[in-house]
Amino acid sequence: MKSYREMNAEELKTERKLLEQKLEQYKAMGLALDMTRGKPSPVQLDLTNHIYDSLAQDGFKTKEGLDTRNYSAPAGIPEMREVFAQILGTSADKIFLGNSSSLNQMFDSLMRALVFGEHDSDKPWGQIEGRKWLCPVPGYDRHFRVTQTLGFELVNVPMTENGPDMDIVEELVKDEKVMGIWCIPVYSNPDGIVYSGETCRRLASMKTAAKDFRIYWDNAYVVHHLCDDEAEQGRVPDILGLCEEYGNPSRVYEFASSSKITFAGAGISCLAANKDNLDQAKKIMAVQTICNNKVNQLAHARMLPDLDAVKAHMKKHAALLRPKFEKTLDILGSELEWTGTAHWHKPNGGYFVSIFVMPGTASRVVGMCKDLGVALTPAGATYPYGKDPDDSNIRIAPSFPSVDEIDTAVNVLCVCAKITAVDKLLEEQS
Ligand SMILES: Cc1ncc(COP(=O)(O)O)c(C=O)c1O
């Protein structure tokens, strides 16, 4: 079959007529489908329904006899700190557990830097006019909104198959106003890319003009594999250890949470950092809060006592998610690949598929889908300030809808992407 780029104007017009017929069929269906946010589906949440049973059965005390109902253990109960240490491949003394939402921990960490400065800062970051933050793109819209809201100028860094383009990062960090970078090292949101070992080493070892430069290492999808074969699963080195090895021990804050392991609205967030960073953070957090929800930590530790238990639980999530990702990728493969007008990375985990349609058409594709009753994340959302310079990237979130809904929604997306591509090519040929 000829790709769209190989077709002449007549062939493209014939193709458009066929696509219009499909479009009319979808219009007549009166669809109302939502592919916007990467939320666990209700069946995934059901996997955790019994998490609180152990509290009634076995009480509220930890193995060491600590009463989780009362104040104490501000950094979290030892057994759950150990579980997160195993998940992140670090040691429990580097772990601080907070309440639901790692995004909250990221926001608070930045607020502390802005108001008080880091332990190695000359002044609070809030006093740095024109402060900047590096944003690998496409990326997570909420990350970008955090740093935008807190007064950073956001600087795009293109993603590659190995993580952020490190040649560009190494150049940009020569600017002393560049204070940090967002990183989602395993199954990046939205592309599902896993950083290579070399990318991790370059991030840990690079020379930065700002001596208090920080990597915000958001390991949100560290155990969120779609395949059971361990050899295929994304894995990155322990970044805290790497930064220490390269003489930059305070360079990184690592984040994770149980949001997409247990309950997204009632999870545990995790901040991992070296002693100096953690001491500085704890000093301020101790003023804010006496301790976090340790009852929830205990319930989690009993359900997921170690990394093996976490892995076994995540396999159940994978079994539910895999058919949805497969359906999405199958349709993209059969409907779009041959046209030569779109490309995407096949993720082995995480929550998203990110497709690049013909430059200059993503907004129109998303708009057309909306008119047909298929809600997608707004085009541009995966870029700082909501502006995709190429107007090309569209994030698909297959976790929440059913396989049948995905089938329809992704087919609609493909028809819209094809029509806009045909129009663009006809425009270019005229
Ligand atoms: C990369 C990334 N980080 C963080 C979050 C949110 O995590 P939490 O629920 O712990 O705030 C998400 C949710 O989609 C995400 O994709």
Side-chain angles (χ1 to χ4, degrees):
M1 203 175 324
K2 273 188 186 174
S3 78
Y4 282 2
R5 288 184 191 283
E6 291 164 325
M7 289 185 185
N8 61 31
E10 269 326 292
E11 288 165 326
L12 285 170
K13 281 178 191 161
T14 309
E15 171 71 5
R16 199 186 196 288
K17 285 216 174 79
L18 291 172
L19 291 166
E20 274 166 28
Q21 284 168 14
K22 282 196 185 167
L23 205 68
E24 288 309 317
Q25 284 167 11
Y26 287 126
K27 241 184 228 168
M29 286 165 78
L31 300 169
L33 301 172
D34 190 340
M35 300 275 285
T36 51
R37 290 233 75 97
K39 296 196 290 193
S41 66
V43 211
Q44 284 179 265
L45 298 170
D46 285 346
L47 296 172
T48 300
N49 282 352
H50 295 290
I51 189 169
Y52 299 115
D53 292 358
S54 75
L55 299 175
Q57 281 157 19
D58 303 318
F60 293 89
K61 289 194 177 161
T62 66
K63 283 184 203 152
E64 290 167 351
L66 184 147
D67 189 341
T68 57
R69 297 168 303 178
N70 217 332
Y71 290 132
S72 72
I77 63 169
E79 40 265 72
M80 202 56 209
R81 290 174 78 193
E82 177 57 33
V83 174
F84 269 104
Q86 288 179 16
I87 288 175
L88 299 179
T90 183
S91 53
D93 59 321
K94 295 195 170 69
I95 301 285
F96 180 96
L97 300 181
N99 293 329
S100 197
S101 181
S102 56
L103 194 70
N104 190 167
Q105 294 241 29
M106 297 173 220
F107 188 94
D108 278 357
S109 293
L110 277 162
M111 281 297 288
R112 286 192 293 273
L114 287 164
V115 177
F116 305 102
E118 299 287 354
H119 73 85
D120 48 354
S121 298
D122 290 332
K123 56 182 174 190
W125 288 8
Q127 293 173 18
I128 301 171
E129 286 295 317
R131 56 187 176 270
K132 298 177 192 166
W133 199 268
L134 303 186
C135 301
V137 291
Y140 180 33
D141 51 347
R142 292 183 191 270
H143 279 168
F144 301 156
R145 240 179 294 153
V146 166
T147 32
Q148 182 184 352
T149 304
L150 297 181
F152 292 85
E153 181 192 323
L154 310 185
V155 182
N156 291 7
V157 176
M159 281 290 282
T160 72
E161 285 292 309
N162 293 313
D165 186 321
M166 284 309 298
D167 290 341
I168 295 179
V169 170
E170 284 163 354
E171 270 309 301
L172 289 169
V173 296
K174 289 179 183 164
D175 177 350
E176 64 177 6
K177 300 264 169 138
V178 172
M179 308 310 297
I181 183 170
W182 289 116
C183 290
I184 309 166
V186 179
Y187 309 131
S188 65
N189 174 350
D191 288 314
I193 285 168
V194 180
Y195 288 17
S196 68
E198 194 202 340
T199 298
C200 298
R201 277 189 294 281
R202 285 174 76 175
L203 282 162
S205 63
M206 67 191 177
K207 260 186 112 52
T208 63
K211 65 183 166 75
D212 47 355
F213 180 92
R214 291 292 185 272
I215 299 170
Y216 272 46
W217 194 254
D218 181 3
N219 224 337
Y221 299 110
V222 58
V223 287
H224 302 62
H225 313 292
L226 283 170
C227 53
D228 289 344
D229 181 355
E230 296 224 349
E232 301 250 312
Q233 296 175 351
R235 191 165 288 113
V236 291
D238 161 31
I239 193 71
L240 285 152
L242 267 191
C243 287
E244 202 170 319
E245 187 183 320
Y246 284 107
N248 300 307
S250 294
R251 174 165 292 181
V252 64
Y253 286 114
E254 181 164 18
F255 302 90
S257 79
S258 65
S259 289
K260 286 169 188 141
I261 299 175
T262 56
F263 289 149
I268 297 167
S269 60
C270 166
L271 163 68
N274 75 336
K275 186 170 183 327
D276 288 338
N277 279 338
L278 217 48
D279 283 351
Q280 169 85 352
K282 278 186 193 164
K283 215 167 44 191
I284 299 155
M285 288 194 280
V287 179
Q288 242 183 332
T289 312
I290 304 172
C291 66
N292 290 304
N293 185 345
K294 300 189 302 300
V295 173
N296 201 24
Q297 292 172 21
L298 181 62
H300 275 75
R302 285 185 178 151
M303 185 179 126
L304 303 169
D306 54 28
L307 183 57
D308 282 342
V310 173
K311 283 182 181 170
H313 183 71
M314 294 314 288
K315 276 190 184 176
K316 296 181 196 161
H317 279 284
L320 295 168
L321 286 167
R322 205 161 36 233
K324 300 181 175 189
F325 278 76
E326 281 170 0
K327 177 60 78 183
T328 305
L329 292 163
D330 281 354
I331 298 170
L332 293 178
S334 60
E335 292 298 316
L336 275 187
E337 197 158 15
W338 65 272
T339 68
T341 59
H343 62 96
W344 54 92
H345 172 89
K346 178 187 166 295
N348 279 343
Y351 262 63
F352 303 99
V353 177
S354 141
I355 91 162
F356 294 87
V357 293
M358 252 185 97
T361 67
S363 312
R364 187 166 166 232
V365 173
V366 172
M368 283 174 76
C369 288
K370 190 176 170 204
D371 292 344
L372 292 168
V374 175
L376 296 170
T377 312
T382 49
Y383 287 74
Y385 310 110
K387 286 197 191 106
D388 172 358
D390 296 326
D391 189 23
S392 168
N393 186 246
I394 299 175
R395 185 179 85 168
I396 307 176
S399 59
F400 195 83
S402 68
V403 175
D404 285 347
E405 287 171 333
I406 291 168
D407 194 342
T408 311
V410 179
N411 270 299
V412 168
L413 167 64
C414 289
V415 172
C416 297
K418 288 201 271 194
I419 289 186
T420 51
V422 166
D423 287 351
K424 184 101 181 140
L425 288 166
L426 281 170
E427 202 181 291
E428 282 171 19
Q429 286 187 14
S430 65

mmCIF file of all heavy atoms in Angstrom, residues 24-51:
data_model
loop_
_atom_site.group_PDB
_atom_site.id
_atom_site.type_symbol
_atom_site.label_atom_id
_atom_site.label_comp_id
_atom_site.label_asym_id
_atom_site.label_seq_id
_atom_site.Cartn_x
_atom_site.Cartn_y
_atom_site.Cartn_z
ATOM 1 N N GLU A 24 -18.632 10.027 9.223
ATOM 2 C CA GLU A 24 -20.099 10.136 9.322
ATOM 3 C C GLU A 24 -20.656 9.008 10.198
ATOM 4 O O GLU A 24 -21.554 9.221 11.007
ATOM 5 C CB GLU A 24 -20.747 10.099 7.930
ATOM 6 C CG GLU A 24 -20.525 11.357 7.110
ATOM 7 C CD GLU A 24 -20.899 12.651 7.862
ATOM 8 O OE1 GLU A 24 -21.958 12.663 8.524
ATOM 9 O OE2 GLU A 24 -20.110 13.613 7.802
ATOM 10 N N GLN A 25 -20.075 7.808 10.020
ATOM 11 C CA GLN A 25 -20.539 6.669 10.840
ATOM 12 C C GLN A 25 -20.307 6.954 12.329
ATOM 13 O O GLN A 25 -21.166 6.711 13.165
ATOM 14 C CB GLN A 25 -19.791 5.393 10.457
ATOM 15 C CG GLN A 25 -20.266 4.776 9.144
ATOM 16 C CD GLN A 25 -19.287 3.713 8.640
ATOM 17 O OE1 GLN A 25 -18.368 3.293 9.352
ATOM 18 N NE2 GLN A 25 -19.471 3.295 7.410
ATOM 19 N N TYR A 26 -19.125 7.484 12.641
ATOM 20 C CA TYR A 26 -18.826 7.781 14.047
ATOM 21 C C TYR A 26 -19.728 8.897 14.577
ATOM 22 O O TYR A 26 -20.179 8.860 15.717
ATOM 23 C CB TYR A 26 -17.345 8.151 14.233
ATOM 24 C CG TYR A 26 -16.426 6.957 14.115
ATOM 25 C CD1 TYR A 26 -15.365 6.948 13.229
ATOM 26 C CD2 TYR A 26 -16.631 5.827 14.903
ATOM 27 C CE1 TYR A 26 -14.526 5.844 13.120
ATOM 28 C CE2 TYR A 26 -15.810 4.711 14.793
ATOM 29 C CZ TYR A 26 -14.753 4.726 13.895
ATOM 30 O OH TYR A 26 -13.939 3.624 13.792
ATOM 31 N N LYS A 27 -20.010 9.877 13.729
ATOM 32 C CA LYS A 27 -20.892 10.976 14.132
ATOM 33 C C LYS A 27 -22.249 10.423 14.550
ATOM 34 O O LYS A 27 -22.808 10.812 15.572
ATOM 35 C CB LYS A 27 -21.076 11.937 12.941
ATOM 36 C CG LYS A 27 -20.577 13.345 13.215
ATOM 37 C CD LYS A 27 -20.871 14.242 12.051
ATOM 38 C CE LYS A 27 -19.630 15.042 11.690
ATOM 39 N NZ LYS A 27 -19.715 15.720 10.430
ATOM 40 N N ALA A 28 -22.736 9.479 13.758
ATOM 41 C CA ALA A 28 -24.078 8.919 13.998
ATOM 42 C C ALA A 28 -24.127 8.111 15.300
ATOM 43 O O ALA A 28 -25.206 7.870 15.845
ATOM 44 C CB ALA A 28 -24.470 8.033 12.818
ATOM 45 N N MET A 29 -22.968 7.719 15.824
ATOM 46 C CA MET A 29 -22.958 6.880 17.036
ATOM 47 C C MET A 29 -23.185 7.687 18.317
ATOM 48 O O MET A 29 -23.425 7.109 19.386
ATOM 49 C CB MET A 29 -21.621 6.121 17.134
ATOM 50 C CG MET A 29 -21.524 4.979 16.126
ATOM 51 S SD MET A 29 -19.825 4.352 15.935
ATOM 52 C CE MET A 29 -19.656 3.358 17.384
ATOM 53 N N GLY A 30 -23.076 9.026 18.236
ATOM 54 C CA GLY A 30 -23.285 9.870 19.428
ATOM 55 C C GLY A 30 -22.392 9.456 20.590
ATOM 56 O O GLY A 30 -22.857 9.188 21.700
ATOM 57 N N LEU A 31 -21.089 9.390 20.337
ATOM 58 C CA LEU A 31 -20.142 8.879 21.335
ATOM 59 C C LEU A 31 -19.949 9.827 22.525
ATOM 60 O O LEU A 31 -20.138 11.037 22.403
ATOM 61 C CB LEU A 31 -18.784 8.637 20.668
ATOM 62 C CG LEU A 31 -18.759 7.639 19.510
ATOM 63 C CD1 LEU A 31 -17.426 7.692 18.782
ATOM 64 C CD2 LEU A 31 -19.034 6.230 20.048
ATOM 65 N N ALA A 32 -19.559 9.272 23.652
ATOM 66 C CA ALA A 32 -19.162 10.077 24.822
ATOM 67 C C ALA A 32 -18.046 9.302 25.520
ATOM 68 O O ALA A 32 -18.287 8.576 26.479
ATOM 69 C CB ALA A 32 -20.340 10.300 25.747
ATOM 70 N N LEU A 33 -16.822 9.418 25.001
ATOM 71 C CA LEU A 33 -15.692 8.648 25.528
ATOM 72 C C LEU A 33 -14.616 9.595 26.058
ATOM 73 O O LEU A 33 -14.396 10.672 25.499
ATOM 74 C CB LEU A 33 -15.095 7.764 24.422
ATOM 75 C CG LEU A 33 -16.058 6.753 23.787
ATOM 76 C CD1 LEU A 33 -15.412 6.070 22.583
ATOM 77 C CD2 LEU A 33 -16.466 5.719 24.820
ATOM 78 N N ASP A 34 -13.934 9.148 27.131
ATOM 79 C CA ASP A 34 -12.948 10.023 27.773
ATOM 80 C C ASP A 34 -11.592 9.325 27.853
ATOM 81 O O ASP A 34 -11.451 8.308 28.532
ATOM 82 C CB ASP A 34 -13.445 10.376 29.179
ATOM 83 C CG ASP A 34 -12.604 11.463 29.822
ATOM 84 O OD1 ASP A 34 -11.457 11.677 29.372
ATOM 85 O OD2 ASP A 34 -13.079 12.101 30.776
ATOM 86 N N MET A 35 -10.623 9.858 27.139
ATOM 87 C CA MET A 35 -9.262 9.280 27.166
ATOM 88 C C MET A 35 -8.285 10.335 27.700
ATOM 89 O O MET A 35 -7.135 10.374 27.279
ATOM 90 C CB MET A 35 -8.828 8.901 25.747
ATOM 91 C CG MET A 35 -9.698 7.885 25.061
ATOM 92 S SD MET A 35 -9.218 6.210 25.484
ATOM 93 C CE MET A 35 -7.734 6.012 24.522
ATOM 94 N N THR A 36 -8.747 11.155 28.613
ATOM 95 C CA THR A 36 -7.924 12.310 28.987
ATOM 96 C C THR A 36 -6.871 12.029 30.064
ATOM 97 O O THR A 36 -5.715 12.360 29.872
ATOM 98 C CB THR A 36 -8.794 13.492 29.462
ATOM 99 O OG1 THR A 36 -9.690 13.015 30.465
ATOM 100 C CG2 THR A 36 -9.585 14.100 28.326
ATOM 101 N N ARG A 37 -7.266 11.412 31.182
ATOM 102 C CA ARG A 37 -6.297 11.342 32.280
ATOM 103 C C ARG A 37 -5.911 9.910 32.610
ATOM 104 O O ARG A 37 -6.717 8.982 32.496
ATOM 105 C CB ARG A 37 -6.863 12.026 33.524
ATOM 106 C CG ARG A 37 -6.960 13.532 33.343
ATOM 107 C CD ARG A 37 -6.289 14.312 34.460
ATOM 108 N NE ARG A 37 -4.843 14.312 34.389
ATOM 109 C CZ ARG A 37 -4.090 15.269 33.853
ATOM 110 N NH1 ARG A 37 -4.640 16.303 33.308
ATOM 111 N NH2 ARG A 37 -2.783 15.183 33.882
ATOM 112 N N GLY A 38 -4.669 9.752 33.010
ATOM 113 C CA GLY A 38 -4.142 8.431 33.308
ATOM 114 C C GLY A 38 -4.522 7.975 34.701
ATOM 115 O O GLY A 38 -3.700 7.966 35.602
ATOM 116 N N LYS A 39 -5.784 7.586 34.843
ATOM 117 C CA LYS A 39 -6.250 7.126 36.160
ATOM 118 C C LYS A 39 -6.356 5.606 36.147
ATOM 119 O O LYS A 39 -6.715 5.016 35.126
ATOM 120 C CB LYS A 39 -7.660 7.666 36.441
ATOM 121 C CG LYS A 39 -7.746 9.152 36.547
ATOM 122 C CD LYS A 39 -9.050 9.580 37.191
ATOM 123 C CE LYS A 39 -10.263 9.346 36.317
ATOM 124 N NZ LYS A 39 -11.460 10.024 36.808
ATOM 125 N N PRO A 40 -6.134 4.954 37.306
ATOM 126 C CA PRO A 40 -6.408 3.513 37.361
ATOM 127 C C PRO A 40 -7.909 3.300 37.158
ATOM 128 O O PRO A 40 -8.722 4.134 37.549
ATOM 129 C CB PRO A 40 -6.007 3.119 38.782
ATOM 130 C CG PRO A 40 -5.259 4.273 39.346
ATOM 131 C CD PRO A 40 -5.650 5.492 38.593
ATOM 132 N N SER A 41 -8.268 2.159 36.573
ATOM 133 C CA SER A 41 -9.687 1.847 36.384
ATOM 134 C C SER A 41 -10.260 1.297 37.691
ATOM 135 O O SER A 41 -9.497 0.849 38.563
ATOM 136 C CB SER A 41 -9.832 0.800 35.286
ATOM 137 O OG SER A 41 -9.250 -0.411 35.735
ATOM 138 N N PRO A 42 -11.579 1.293 37.833
ATOM 139 C CA PRO A 42 -12.178 0.758 39.074
ATOM 140 C C PRO A 42 -11.730 -0.681 39.376
ATOM 141 O O PRO A 42 -11.503 -1.018 40.532
ATOM 142 C CB PRO A 42 -13.680 0.814 38.785
ATOM 143 C CG PRO A 42 -13.835 1.898 37.761
ATOM 144 C CD PRO A 42 -12.596 1.874 36.933
ATOM 145 N N VAL A 43 -11.568 -1.513 38.341
ATOM 146 C CA VAL A 43 -11.146 -2.913 38.606
ATOM 147 C C VAL A 43 -9.732 -2.938 39.177
ATOM 148 O O VAL A 43 -9.404 -3.790 40.009
ATOM 149 C CB VAL A 43 -11.149 -3.773 37.309
ATOM 150 C CG1 VAL A 43 -11.478 -5.219 37.609
ATOM 151 C CG2 VAL A 43 -12.029 -3.209 36.245
ATOM 152 N N GLN A 44 -8.889 -2.036 38.718
ATOM 153 C CA GLN A 44 -7.541 -1.959 39.302
ATOM 154 C C GLN A 44 -7.628 -1.553 40.769
ATOM 155 O O GLN A 44 -6.940 -2.109 41.621
ATOM 156 C CB GLN A 44 -6.692 -0.926 38.552
ATOM 157 C CG GLN A 44 -6.183 -1.376 37.211
ATOM 158 C CD GLN A 44 -5.372 -0.256 36.568
ATOM 159 O OE1 GLN A 44 -5.905 0.510 35.792
ATOM 160 N NE2 GLN A 44 -4.112 -0.162 36.916
ATOM 161 N N LEU A 45 -8.471 -0.581 41.048
ATOM 162 C CA LEU A 45 -8.611 -0.126 42.438
ATOM 163 C C LEU A 45 -9.156 -1.251 43.320
ATOM 164 O O LEU A 45 -8.759 -1.390 44.480
ATOM 165 C CB LEU A 45 -9.520 1.112 42.509
ATOM 166 C CG LEU A 45 -8.986 2.340 41.751
ATOM 167 C CD1 LEU A 45 -10.040 3.433 41.673
ATOM 168 C CD2 LEU A 45 -7.724 2.888 42.403
ATOM 169 N N ASP A 46 -10.016 -2.081 42.729
ATOM 170 C CA ASP A 46 -10.586 -3.209 43.487
ATOM 171 C C ASP A 46 -9.500 -4.167 43.993
ATOM 172 O O ASP A 46 -9.713 -4.863 44.983
ATOM 173 C CB ASP A 46 -11.575 -4.001 42.613
ATOM 174 C CG ASP A 46 -12.899 -3.256 42.446
ATOM 175 O OD1 ASP A 46 -13.141 -2.292 43.204
ATOM 176 O OD2 ASP A 46 -13.684 -3.631 41.548
ATOM 177 N N LEU A 47 -8.350 -4.197 43.321
ATOM 178 C CA LEU A 47 -7.266 -5.092 43.751
ATOM 179 C C LEU A 47 -6.822 -4.787 45.181
ATOM 180 O O LEU A 47 -6.186 -5.602 45.839
ATOM 181 C CB LEU A 47 -6.043 -4.959 42.823
ATOM 182 C CG LEU A 47 -6.203 -5.376 41.362
ATOM 183 C CD1 LEU A 47 -4.962 -4.986 40.557
ATOM 184 C CD2 LEU A 47 -6.428 -6.882 41.289
ATOM 185 N N THR A 48 -7.127 -3.581 45.632
ATOM 186 C CA THR A 48 -6.626 -3.122 46.932
ATOM 187 C C THR A 48 -7.738 -3.018 47.987
ATOM 188 O O THR A 48 -7.501 -2.604 49.113
ATOM 189 C CB THR A 48 -5.922 -1.754 46.725
ATOM 190 O OG1 THR A 48 -4.842 -1.949 45.802
ATOM 191 C CG2 THR A 48 -5.348 -1.154 47.978
ATOM 192 N N ASN A 49 -8.946 -3.427 47.624
ATOM 193 C CA ASN A 49 -10.093 -3.198 48.516
ATOM 194 C C ASN A 49 -9.903 -3.711 49.938
ATOM 195 O O ASN A 49 -10.476 -3.160 50.869
ATOM 196 C CB ASN A 49 -11.362 -3.829 47.921
ATOM 197 C CG ASN A 49 -11.917 -2.959 46.810
ATOM 198 O OD1 ASN A 49 -11.441 -1.847 46.598
ATOM 199 N ND2 ASN A 49 -12.903 -3.468 46.094
ATOM 200 N N HIS A 50 -9.069 -4.749 50.107
ATOM 201 C CA HIS A 50 -8.962 -5.345 51.449
ATOM 202 C C HIS A 50 -7.804 -4.778 52.263
ATOM 203 O O HIS A 50 -7.475 -5.312 53.319
ATOM 204 C CB HIS A 50 -8.844 -6.868 51.329
ATOM 205 C CG HIS A 50 -10.088 -7.463 50.756
ATOM 206 N ND1 HIS A 50 -11.270 -7.502 51.462
ATOM 207 C CD2 HIS A 50 -10.367 -7.972 49.534
ATOM 208 C CE1 HIS A 50 -12.215 -8.033 50.707
ATOM 209 N NE2 HIS A 50 -11.687 -8.322 49.526
ATOM 210 N N ILE A 51 -7.235 -3.706 51.771
ATOM 211 C CA ILE A 51 -6.015 -3.200 52.431
ATOM 212 C C ILE A 51 -6.224 -2.870 53.915
ATOM 213 O O ILE A 51 -5.322 -3.030 54.716
ATOM 214 C CB ILE A 51 -5.419 -1.995 51.650
ATOM 215 C CG1 ILE A 51 -4.049 -1.632 52.216
ATOM 216 C CG2 ILE A 51 -6.350 -0.797 51.647
ATOM 217 C CD1 ILE A 51 -3.253 -0.654 51.368
#
